[in-house]
Each structure stands twice: as structure tokens, then as C-alpha cells.
């Protein structure tokens, strides 16, 4: 048994100023008020990142299992106890080999699953996705990938205006895979058609999509306003202005807003030249951009940084915690397993100091790291 006590506990539905979390085995047994002296620091649920391409110098995008373990370990040290391995637009052979390589990691629990960000995306809004490998949605290809993943494929991003996109979204929903809308030039109406077909996530809303206009609201307004859609936000001050983040979260509420990193291999690494989906990326001042055209190419963010940024943008501790943990967990069907400090859930928690920097990380009842850099 482990008891974390005398800290401010962000329990999911309330903040306990002087609280405790009692852990038995891999599960949370009890959360409540601490009757002893208060200590410093804050305990929050382990972060859940449903959109991350790599970190610590390692990448998910090549489908290499050893690289995937390194990237997962890097983000775990920064409080991300649950993550999807996000792949980028790639040839069919790489998508299949990566799926087969990562399925055992998902079964082992290193990963919560796989996210395909592409290849069924808009040429006009592909951003840092490799345009050479973009293609129209294929239900046959999706069906083969889902079967090869044996439950590991959890999320697929699609531009709903493409030929065959709505059928692909319906197939994903039928197979128990979450469909997301992103990298899209869709109109407002085309976006809502994707939602009607079953899409329930908006991929890094505002980024990689037609910008909103008061006479042509496009995908941004459609996704922010769709009651059943969780909207991803990259809270790094680069993808979104802090005011945009705060406003968008006020529209969706924390139950429909998910913080993500969209991190690539350069997260935690020095500035320099990196690779993403077969394309050269230059990182300067912590900002990653394609060498060829300067498009933003993911981020160097970690979830603890995103959490601090959200709080700094004016969101409450409770709302920021929900956006970093419970909401993304629910978006990929894990609400009953992770994402909150609540009895019965897996004991994933992050101890933060008074400045919200990570001090220790617990996953499934075991401490896995101490203070991070």
C-alpha cells in the first residue's frame, strides 16, 4: 500500500486543498481529506496524450519498436502515463509494418494504442504531412490495418470532404475505432457530415484546417460547436495563442477539450535538424518547422508543459487537469480505466511542486520517475 498525503489533490470533480490518495496494488483505493499537517505540492491524474509522434530524440513515425519504447519513456517521465503512438502520412507498407510492430507494445501497456494521422488528408491543408503519400480513404486498407493491430488501432484522422471519407468514418465506428476530423479544407456542412457519420474528435483544432470566417465558418466552428466532439488543442503558445486556447475551451468546456502535445522526436532535445515522415525539420528556439516551406511540424512540447500553459492562460487547475487527463481518456474509450484520481481507476498520478513542475510520476501503483529536467 502507498499513501500520498498532505498535498493538494485534483481529484477530477473537486480540488482537495489538503488531501490524500491511497493506492493498493495497481489501483486507487481511496481519495479524501488529510487530517494531518498540509505539505506543499499538487497531485493530479497521470496525463493522457492522444496525439504524440515522439520525444527524447526518438520517434513513433518509423514504426521501430525500440524507438517507440524510448519515446514513451521520455514522455512518461514528464507525467504522460497513457499515450497513443501517432503515425504520420506514410506509404501503405510502412503503415502496416508499424501497426504490427506496435501491437505488442499496446498489449504490453507501453502504449495505449495507435493513432493514424493520415494519409487520408487534404492536400491544401496537409501542413507538415508528406504530400507524396496522401491518398483518398480506403475502407479495404483501414480494415486490413485494424485487423493487423488486433485492437491496437484506436484513432484515425480523416478529412471528411475527400471521396470515400464518410464511408471510412462509418467503418471505423463499426470497428470500434475513434474517427477524428483534421487536416481538412472542409466547409462547415462537410465537417458536420463527418460528425454525423460518427467522427468524435477534432484533430488539433485550428491547426491544419480551413480558418474560420464569419460567413464561412468552416471546420473550426463546426467542431467547437458539435456537442459530441472532443477538440484537441496544442497548448504551446505557438500553435495557438493563449487567448485562443482560453476562448476555445470556454466554448467546449473542459469535458470536450483535450490537451495534446503533437510532439516530435525533438522534444527534450537541442535545436537542430530532425526528420518527420521522411521530411527534414529544423528546430530553432524549440519551434519545429519543415525545412522546405517553414510549416509548423509538430512541437517540442510535453504534457506537463501543456498543463502549465493552460493554467497560465487562465484555466483552473480542475479544468486543466480534466483537459490533460479525463477528457482525452474518454475520447479514446478509457474513461473507466485511467484519467482521474478516483477509487477503482489505475493508480496513475503526477506529483507537482508549487510551480506545477513534475516531481514524481506513478503509473499503475509504482513510482517510475523522480524530478525531471
Amino acid at each position: 500500500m502507498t499513501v500520498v498525503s498532505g498535498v493538494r489533490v485534483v481529484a477530477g470533480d473537486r480540488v482537495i486543498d489538503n488531501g490524500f490518495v491511497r493506492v493498493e496494488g495497481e489501483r486507487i483505493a481511496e481519495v479524501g481529506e488529510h487530517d494531518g499537517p498540509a505539505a506543499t505540492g499538487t497531485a493530479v491524474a497521470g496525463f493522457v496524450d492522444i496525439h504524440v509522434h515522439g520525444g527524447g530524440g526518438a520517434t513513433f513515425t518509423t514504426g521501430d519498436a525500440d524507438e517507440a519504447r524510448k519515446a514513451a519513456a521520455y514522455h512518461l517521465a514528464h507525467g504522460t502515463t497513457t499515450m497513443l503512438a501517432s503515425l504520420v502520412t506514410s506509404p501503405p507498407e510502412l503503415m502496416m509494418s508499424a501497426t504490427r510492430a506496435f501491437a505488442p507494445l499496446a498489449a504490453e501497456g507501453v502504449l495505449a494504442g495507435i493513432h493514424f494521422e493520415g494519409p487520408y488528408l487534404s492536400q491544401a491543408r496537409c501542413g507538415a504531412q508528406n504530400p507524396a503519400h496522401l491518398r483518398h480513404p480506403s475502407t479495404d486498407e483501414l480494415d486490413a490495418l485494424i485487423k493487423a493491430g488486433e485492437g491496437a488501432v484506436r484513432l484515425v484522422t480523416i478529412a471528411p470532404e475527400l471521396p470515400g471519407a464518410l464511408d471510412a468514418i462509418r467503418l471505423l465506428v463499426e470497428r470500434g475505432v475513434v474517427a477524428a476530423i483534421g487536416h481538412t479544407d472542409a466547409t462547415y456542412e462537410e465537417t458536420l457530415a463527418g460528425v454525423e457519420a460518427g467522427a468524435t474528435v477534432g484533430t488539433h483544432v485550428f491547426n491544419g484546417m480551413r480558418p474560420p470566417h464569419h460567413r464561412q465558418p468552416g471546420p473550426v466552428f463546426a467542431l467547437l460547436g458539435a456537442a459530441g466532439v472532443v477538440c484537441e488543442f496544442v497548448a504551446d503558445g505557438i500553435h495557438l495563442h493563449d487567448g485562443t486556447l482560453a476562448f476555445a475551451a470556454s466554448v467546449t468546456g473542459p469535458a470536450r477539450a483535450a490537451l495534446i502535445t503533437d510532439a516530435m522526436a525533438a522534444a527534450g532535445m537541442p535545436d537542430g535538424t530532425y526528420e518527420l515522415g521522411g521530411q527534414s525539420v529544423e528546430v530553432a528556439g524549440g519551434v519545429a518547422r519543415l525545412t522546405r516551406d517553414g510549416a509548423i511540424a509538430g512541437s517540442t512540447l510535453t504534457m506537463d508543459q501543456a498543463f502549465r500553459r493552460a493554467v497560465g492562460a487562465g484555466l483552473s487547475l480542475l479544468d486543466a487537469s480534466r483537459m490533460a487527463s479525463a477528457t482525452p481518456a474518454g475520447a479514446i474509450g478509457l474513461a473507466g480505466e485511467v484519467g482521474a484520481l478516483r477509487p477503482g481507476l489505475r493508480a496513475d498520478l503526477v506529483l507537482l511542486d508549487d510551480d506545477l513542475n513534475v516531481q514524481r510520476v506513478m503509473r499503475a501503483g509504482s513510482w517510475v520517475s523522480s524530478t525531471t529536467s
Side-chain angles (χ1 to χ4, degrees), residues 5 136 204 221 249:
S5 61
H136 289 163
H204 48 47
F221 285 4

Side-chain angles (χ1 to χ4, degrees), residues 18-113:
N18 186 16
F20 73 88
V21 180
R22 181 165 59 85
V23 174
E24 293 186 359
E26 296 186 351
R27 300 282 161 177
I28 297 171
E30 186 181 7
V31 178
E33 299 275 356
H34 178 57
D35 57 9
T40 59
T42 299
V44 297
F47 303 132
V48 179
D49 192 355
I50 62 175
H51 190 151
V52 52
H53 300 288
T59 184
F60 293 129
T61 60
T62 59
D64 183 287
D66 290 337
E67 286 270 304
R69 287 184 185 276
K70 292 175 185 176
Y74 171 76
H75 285 286
L76 178 60
H78 285 267
T80 301
T81 51
T82 301
M83 73 198 77
L84 297 184
S86 295
L87 301 171
V88 294
T89 295
S90 307
E93 299 79 15
L94 177 54
M95 292 178 67
M96 180 58 74
S97 64
T99 300
R100 289 174 173 152
F102 290 169
L105 300 185
E108 185 183 333
V110 174
L111 303 172

Side-chain angles (χ1 to χ4, degrees), residues 134-153:
L134 293 174
R135 48 197 184 272
H136 289 163
S138 165
T139 53
D140 288 342
E141 182 177 30
L142 281 173
D143 191 50
L145 290 167
I146 292 167
K147 288 177 180 175
E150 299 181 323
V153 178

Side-chain angles (χ1 to χ4, degrees), residues 109-362:
V110 174
L111 303 172
I114 299 167
H115 164 216
F116 290 118
E117 188 184 14
Y120 314 131
L121 309 176
S122 163
Q123 285 275 354
R125 304 293 176 185
C126 67
Q129 301 283 329
N130 193 331
H133 303 304
L134 293 174
R135 48 197 184 272
H136 289 163
S138 165
T139 53
D140 288 342
E141 182 177 30
L142 281 173
D143 191 50
L145 290 167
I146 292 167
K147 288 177 180 175
E150 299 181 323
V153 178
R154 283 195 174 268
L155 181 65
V156 178
T157 296
I158 293 178
E161 73 274 20
L162 296 179
L166 300 185
D167 286 341
I169 291 171
R170 294 186 189 102
L171 173 77
L172 291 170
V173 175
E174 289 172 4
R175 298 289 193 274
V177 178
V178 178
I181 290 174
H183 284 283
T184 174
D185 200 39
T187 64
Y188 182 86
E189 291 76 16
E190 288 169 332
T191 304
L192 290 183
V195 174
E196 178 65 24
T200 53
V201 169
T203 296
H204 48 47
V205 172
F206 291 96
N207 300 114
M209 55 184 61
R210 179 188 296 207
H213 184 278
H214 56 285
R215 285 189 293 272
Q216 297 178 6
V220 173
F221 285 4
L223 294 168
L224 291 178
V229 172
V230 170
C231 295
E232 297 178 350
F233 300 118
V234 187
D236 62 354
I238 298 161
H239 285 75
L240 298 177
H241 187 282
D242 287 350
T244 303
L245 172 65
F247 170 76
S250 76
V251 174
T252 62
R256 291 203 303 112
L259 300 179
I260 61 166
T261 64
D262 197 15
M264 45 107 51
M269 302 297 288
D271 287 352
T273 302
Y274 295 85
E275 182 269 347
L276 182 66
Q279 300 181 101
S280 175
V281 175
E282 294 293 329
V283 178
V287 180
R289 295 185 180 275
L290 283 186
T291 303
R292 62 177 168 83
D293 63 5
I296 294 175
S299 84
T300 59
L301 191 64
T302 54
M303 282 295 286
D304 59 320
Q305 293 171 337
F307 176 78
R308 287 193 295 275
R309 187 97 197 186
V311 172
L315 295 166
S316 70
L317 273 178
L318 189 59
D319 285 354
S321 179
R322 289 181 68 183
M323 291 164 61
S325 302
T327 299
I332 59 170
L334 295 178
E337 180 65 17
V338 299
L341 298 182
R342 190 170 72 238
L345 298 192
R346 197 173 74 194
D348 294 351
L349 65 86
V350 186
L351 284 181
L352 306 169
D353 66 17
D354 289 341
D355 294 320
L356 303 182
N357 296 304
V358 174
Q359 296 300 293
R360 299 188 79 187
V361 179
M362 175 183 286

